[in-house]
Amino acid sequence: QLVEQVQSAISGAVLGNQARFELLIGPRGIGKSHVLGVLEHRFRSAPQLLERALVVAPSEQLHPLSLVHLLALLLREFPEDPDLGPAEDSVRSLQRQRDGDQERRAVDLINARLDGRSLIIVLENLDLLFDALGRTGQLRLRNILQTQRRWSIVAGSRTLIPAFTKYEAPFHGTFNLHRLEPLSAEQCRYMLAALADAQQRSGLAGLLRSTIGLARVRGLHHLLGGNPRAMATVFRVLDEQRL
């Protein structure tokens, strides 16, 4: 339901030549990266978006330390252009620039490759990025987004930092917030049974779907708090006897 809601919002913004900003909030292991991955795949597969927008999703392992660094990472994710060549060539030209106007140059390079299309940016750890940018960097990023008007962001954050909520913060009220809650015991049972099905472990799947299986999963849920990543980790050593 959440995936469909965010997908519909971003698709509507792209088709209306507008921008949209969606933020998933939750602790480690709650499923932010999984949801972002599903959304990225759906954006790249949607026929109505293929000609209207380009999707870029820098790796979670990359942590931009400045606004220029972020723009360069986005630029690196662009596919090769028949007229402009590989995106890495544009990044190298940006690195050679030393006149203090790299941010404007980076935006121009991105727009040249967009060629009139919208941009959908999928970002992990937006809280860490905003901490690295500081208020000044956030203000400059906000100015870029207001100027471009067709750059949308779908992001994840471990916490709801003041940059998203404080009235005087540059991005106050910008993002539509979605909290990812822990799974219920019943949802954990459903997840574990689905994993068992995927691995063709019918005995374990059947036990999980039984009354006894639900009772055992309630015990796991009490210990692990409904964290999906923790449940997936437990599944690796789970069989009928261990359950």
Side-chain angles (χ1 to χ4, degrees), residues 29-64:
I30 204 68
K32 299 184 300 298
S33 296
H34 180 77
V35 173
L36 290 174
V38 172
L39 283 166
E40 179 191 347
H41 173 74
R42 289 195 177 192
F43 293 149
R44 294 186 189 275
S45 306
Q48 70 270 28
L49 296 183
L50 290 177
E51 295 182 359
R52 301 286 297 271
L54 197 143
V55 182
V56 295
S59 169
E60 182 180 4
Q61 281 68 44
L62 302 175
H63 300 287

Side-chain angles (χ1 to χ4, degrees), residues 93-112:
S93 73
L94 182 65
Q95 291 172 332
R96 290 193 294 269
Q97 188 174 353
R98 291 290 183 267
D99 60 4
D101 201 14
Q102 286 179 302
E103 289 174 13
R104 181 196 60 77
R105 174 63 176 159
V107 171
D108 289 344
L109 290 170
I110 289 173
N111 281 330

Side-chain angles (χ1 to χ4, degrees), residues 74-96:
L74 298 181
L75 194 54
R76 276 198 169 97
E77 295 296 314
F78 277 66
E80 182 170 350
D81 187 286
D83 298 319
L84 301 174
E88 192 62 36
D89 292 348
S90 295
V91 175
R92 281 194 288 268
S93 73
L94 182 65
Q95 291 172 332
R96 290 193 294 269

